[in-house]
Amino acid sequence: DGRSGKLARLEEIGDEIVAAGEKVLCFTQYAEFGHMLQPYLAARLGCEVLYLHGATPKRKRDEMVAGFQERTGPSLFILSLKAGGTGLNLTAANHVVHVDRWWNPAVEDQATDRAFRIGQRRDVQVRKFVCVGTIEEKVAAMINQKRGLAAKIVGTGEQWLTELSTDDLAALLRLEKGAVVV
């Protein structure tokens, strides 16, 4: 039918979420795509779909967030990655979909964290769409590589510190010459 695989999958997921009475945050880095996606999904799924982007006035933004957080509020909330990625508490969502990938994993993590705020009582399922054979696949590989490198250097906790040799620990804590001016 000419639709993209991502769009077809997003529609399937959205349909399942609406039918289950659950809620989803859909992030895209492309504001124009969000403008097209909102009416498309609203028509296909037969429900209200919110869309927050950088040009959304603060009052409207606050209204959308409050409405989404209501138990009977809209089930789908599309957000531009930059506008919706920080400062929002959207714990009504128990699904997050990244429709397209951003090269910086911290930006994606910040966006995902909108659902992982104080007050979240359910598991949150996170999906990240990638089209095989495209630049997106290369970006996803780069993101995984960055995460792997970070895990090797620092790890996910403080255990890396306890695994250092005595010499390495001493080198880490040693004040370098030139750091203090007398």
Side-chain angles (χ1 to χ4, degrees):
D1 61 31
R3 289 182 296 153
S4 79
K6 281 186 184 185
L7 197 53
R9 185 66 184 122
L10 184 57
E11 192 178 324
E12 289 171 8
I13 290 168
D15 196 37
E16 292 167 9
I17 289 168
V18 170
E22 297 179 347
K23 297 190 180 212
V24 61
L25 304 176
C26 296
F27 289 98
T28 178
Q29 62 176 309
Y30 303 107
E32 197 56 42
F33 182 60
H35 283 292
M36 294 184 291
L37 195 55
Q38 180 189 21
Y40 176 84
L41 287 175
R44 297 292 288 208
L45 300 175
C47 64
E48 182 181 6
V49 176
L50 302 173
Y51 177 45
L52 187 146
H53 50 86
T56 305
K58 184 182 180 337
R59 184 170 162 228
K60 179 71 175 164
R61 174 186 174 119
D62 293 345
E63 287 173 11
M64 284 192 286
V65 168
F68 183 77
Q69 288 293 101
E70 292 287 324
R71 190 180 61 75
T72 57
S75 296
L76 284 90
F77 201 162
I78 300 167
L79 304 104
S80 73
L81 192 61
K82 296 286 175 91
T86 57
L88 299 177
N89 184 343
L90 297 167
T91 54
N94 61 320
H95 296 269
V96 174
V97 175
H98 289 274
V99 180
D100 40 65
R101 303 297 306 271
W102 183 246
W103 62 270
N104 184 343
V107 173
E108 284 187 345
D109 291 347
Q110 267 190 323
T112 297
D113 286 348
R114 300 311 94 214
F116 287 105
R117 309 299 282 176
I118 293 171
Q120 180 56 271
R121 301 193 190 316
R122 298 170 296 161
D123 290 336
V124 177
Q125 185 169 356
V126 180
R127 298 172 177 96
K128 298 176 181 182
F129 290 0
V130 175
C131 287
V132 177
T134 66
I135 190 169
E136 283 185 331
E137 188 176 37
K138 292 178 178 104
V139 168
M142 185 180 69
I143 289 169
N144 290 337
Q145 194 175 22
K146 280 184 175 188
R147 287 191 193 279
L149 182 60
K152 284 179 186 171
I153 294 170
V154 179
T156 55
E158 289 79 34
Q159 74 200 39
W160 65 276
L161 195 56
T162 63
E163 294 169 358
L164 290 176
S165 70
T166 304
D167 290 340
D168 288 340
L169 183 59
L172 179 66
L173 299 174
R174 184 178 307 117
L175 187 60
E176 298 294 326
K177 290 180 184 174
V180 178
V181 178
V182 236

